[in-house]
Amino acid sequence: MSFSHIFTIVVPVFLVIALGYGAGRGTSFGGQRADALRVLTMEFALPASLFLGIANTPRHILLSQGPLVGMLALGLLGLFGLILLGLRLIGRLPLERASILALASVQPQYAFMGVSILGNLFGEAKAAIPIAIAGILVNVILDPLVLILLNLGRPHAAEATAPSSAPARVLVSTGGGPAAAEEERDGGGAPPPVAGPVPTWLKVLQPLRKPFAWAPLLGLVVALVGVRPPEMIENSLSLVGQAASGVALLSVGVTLARVGRPQLSPGAIGIALTSVVVLPLSTYAIGLGLTGHEVAAQAALILAFPVSPVPMMLASQHVKSEEHRIASSVIISIVLAFASLPLMINLTG
């Protein structure tokens, strides 16, 4: 694949992000409008797109994805564990800071940017499979694990950081896109009183309540059972899913506009480099030895996207001191990815 063809795939993605950034800096997507864009992306467009992509995949193809599951688990969970141990044992960081920094280093924007770029590389149906696998690993295992570690590192952190006048309930909607600290209000009036500490098991199950978490799982069940969604349902979801790519990228840009000027610190640069260079290259190298080129390439490209805004959102709720560092790494990684993504695509063929 020539570099000119690669750039025709990659450059439009960054241009749409830049458009979203400009809209976020202006008045087009301020306040509740930005939240509405996120909800449209994470709770409607992307879940519909991923559900159809998985549900319409032949069962024998899904059953052959074991090597890809293993490589993505190794990249996401294995490197997370290594970074966490390093920050704890060598860096002597508290558990909550080490957990959030390790998460930022390994959680990419695989869904928002992947739908466009991987869809053009592999085709939308084939690209939906690695995106959904990564989403399941992140939503079901990685983010709940980090929430537990944050709770262990700072007991009652969620209750301590939430303002008493407006308690927030963190619902992690990952997919590599913005999460939200959503406030529940009664008819727009005063917020309900805090009921008490949230049980750990409920924090683990909360991510599974989001459409981005359960829609791919539902699509997987439908595909494995061997039934096809009714044509009317499929056509309806297709109309919604067609908005996934553009709206998701706009949402990334709007989120970045809220960050402000990035901090060019060694920590922020290190997180960005780990995300867009170390993680995909190491996964690709290991995958070539364990699985073969095709699986190694798919896993590496899923992990080659910039840092997800999700760790930034979690830091704002639990580890305020790391919020700006992680937010800065998101911006730095997007700038780096403009060069690293085409190189990674060319490297993997």
Side-chain angles (χ1 to χ4, degrees), residues 164-320:
S164 60
S165 59
R169 177 168 57 88
V170 177
L171 296 178
V172 182
S173 54
T174 54
E182 299 179 353
E183 295 180 355
E184 291 187 341
R185 300 183 181 274
D186 296 326
V194 178
V198 179
T200 300
W201 66 267
L202 184 58
K203 292 180 180 179
V204 173
L205 293 179
Q206 277 180 346
L208 297 179
R209 298 172 59 185
K210 306 300 290 181
F212 190 85
W214 58 256
L217 287 173
L218 180 60
L220 179 63
V221 172
V222 169
L224 292 177
V225 171
V227 298
R228 189 180 180 91
E231 185 177 359
M232 185 178 298
I233 299 297
E234 186 170 340
N235 291 339
S236 300
L237 292 177
S238 294
L239 291 174
V240 178
Q242 287 171 3
S245 297
V247 174
L249 295 172
L250 278 174
S251 182
V252 172
V254 171
T255 301
L256 294 180
R258 296 179 169 186
V259 172
R261 180 175 297 179
Q263 177 189 76
L264 298 178
S265 65
I269 296 173
I271 291 173
L273 285 173
T274 301
S275 177
V276 301
V277 178
V278 176
L279 178 59
L281 283 179
S282 60
T283 302
Y284 183 61
I286 295 172
L288 286 177
L290 296 180
T291 62
H293 171 74
E294 183 177 356
V295 172
Q298 288 188 7
L301 290 178
I302 279 285
L303 302 177
F305 293 107
V307 178
S308 168
V310 172
M312 174 184 71
M313 303 294 182
L314 288 177
S316 70
Q317 291 293 311
H318 297 275
V319 195
K320 196 73 175 177

Side-chain angles (χ1 to χ4, degrees), residues 13 38 45-46 89 99 127 131 133 149 151 163 223 225 281 297-298 314:
V13 170
R38 177 195 55 77
L46 276 176
L89 299 178
S99 301
I131 292 173
I133 292 172
L149 293 175
N151 187 61
V225 171
L281 283 179
Q298 288 188 7
L314 288 177

Side-chain angles (χ1 to χ4, degrees), residues 140-155:
V140 178
I141 300 176
L142 185 58
D143 281 334
L145 173 62
V146 170
L147 287 173
I148 293 172
L149 293 175
L150 290 172
N151 187 61
L152 292 175
R154 245 170 68 183

Side-chain angles (χ1 to χ4, degrees), residues 70 120 155 229 300 331:
N120 279 298
I331 297 178

